[in-house]
Amino acid sequence: DGGITQSPKYLFRKEGQNVTLSCEQNLNHDAMYWYRQDPGQGLRLIYYSQIVNDFQKGDIAEGYSVSREKKESFPLTVTSAQKNPTAFYLCASSPTGGANVLTFGAGSRLTVL
Amino acid sequence: GEDVEQSLFLSVREGDSSVINCTYTDSSSTYLYWYKQEPGAGLQLLTYIFSNMDMKQDQRLTVLLNKKDKHLSLRIADTQTGDSAIYFCAESSSGGSYIPTFGRGTSLIVHP
């Protein structure tokens, strides 16, 4: 079955450490996205990529980095520069054109200890 | 103010209809969406409507769009306990590369 796989589901990190969240899709979608979700704040866009080897900053990119070396993969690194990294992170993908309907992964919950 | 606004909570009795409301600010919004999120999971698309439509129906779901007032609603008929979830309204436009902007989400609580 096609879909998006995020890993790990839960991640704990000490302050000052970088962590990388994995996102893989087998939907043959061109575009991929990372959103951050905090309680009561909805989804905020971190980074997006509409084509391999290219990506753009979203609304809250500071303290995060991404790469898009393969169409299927869009990993997100939460760096030590991110002041408040504890959150639920959602990866999504969409095909080019049309209504741009996003397909989401199941999410990764990062907790900084 | 926020680009997409929703009330945060809605409580209904099982079997009643639920109406979740959303307002948005971008008059050039092209697509408007409703997504559902169950606890600890990602979002899944329920339905979307193109801006030149004013209504869309899909089984128990009815979406109404008032483009003049920039108001979108989602009606769920015969609400069941399994409908308890967070419902997100979102909009996209060509000016934003059709990347959806989401509201804060409405938590729907269905009482037996």
Side-chain angles (χ1 to χ4, degrees), chain B residues 45-60:
Chain B
L45 179 77
L46 286 176
T47 188
Y48 70 90
I49 189 167
F50 189 57
S51 59
N52 68 353
M53 299 169 65
D54 52 20
M55 187 179 93
K56 183 176 182 181
Q57 190 154 3
D58 183 2
Q59 299 183 334
R60 292 191 297 123

Side-chain angles (χ1 to χ4, degrees), chain B:
Chain B
E2 293 178 3
D3 295 331
V4 180
E5 290 195 8
Q6 309 175 235
S7 55
L8 293 183
F9 299 99
L10 176 65
S11 178
V12 300
R13 198 178 301 272
E14 191 174 18
D16 288 350
S17 292
S18 307
V19 180
I20 304 172
N21 294 301
C22 169
T23 57
Y24 58 97
T25 58
D26 188 351
S27 58
S28 64
S29 292
T30 304
Y31 295 101
L32 296 121
Y33 316 81
W34 285 104
Y35 284 83
K36 176 182 179 182
Q37 184 182 35
E38 298 190 358
L43 279 68
Q44 54 182 139
L45 179 77
L46 286 176
T47 188
Y48 70 90
I49 189 167
F50 189 57
S51 59
N52 68 353
M53 299 169 65
D54 52 20
M55 187 179 93
K56 183 176 182 181
Q57 190 154 3
D58 183 2
Q59 299 183 334
R60 292 191 297 123
L61 306 179
T62 303
V63 177
L64 294 178
L65 174 61
N66 181 328
K67 197 171 178 182
K68 174 176 168 289
D69 293 338
K70 302 191 195 68
H71 181 269
L72 184 75
S73 68
L74 173 70
R75 178 177 180 269
I76 305 172
D78 187 25
T79 312
Q80 303 298 307
T81 54
D83 294 323
S84 294
I86 302 176
Y87 291 80
F88 288 92
C89 173
E91 63 84 25
S92 70
S93 64
S94 60
S97 301
Y98 295 109
I99 296 171
T101 297
F102 289 85
R104 293 188 174 198
T106 299
S107 289
L108 175 64
I109 301 164
V110 183
H111 297 285

Side-chain angles (χ1 to χ4, degrees), chain A residues 21-43:
Chain A
L21 307 180
S22 170
C23 179
E24 303 277 332
Q25 54 102 357
N26 61 3
L27 298 166
N28 199 33
H29 286 170
D30 290 313
M32 296 186 74
Y33 312 81
W34 276 103
Y35 286 90
R36 169 179 171 142
Q37 184 177 18
D38 296 283
Q41 291 203 37
L43 275 67

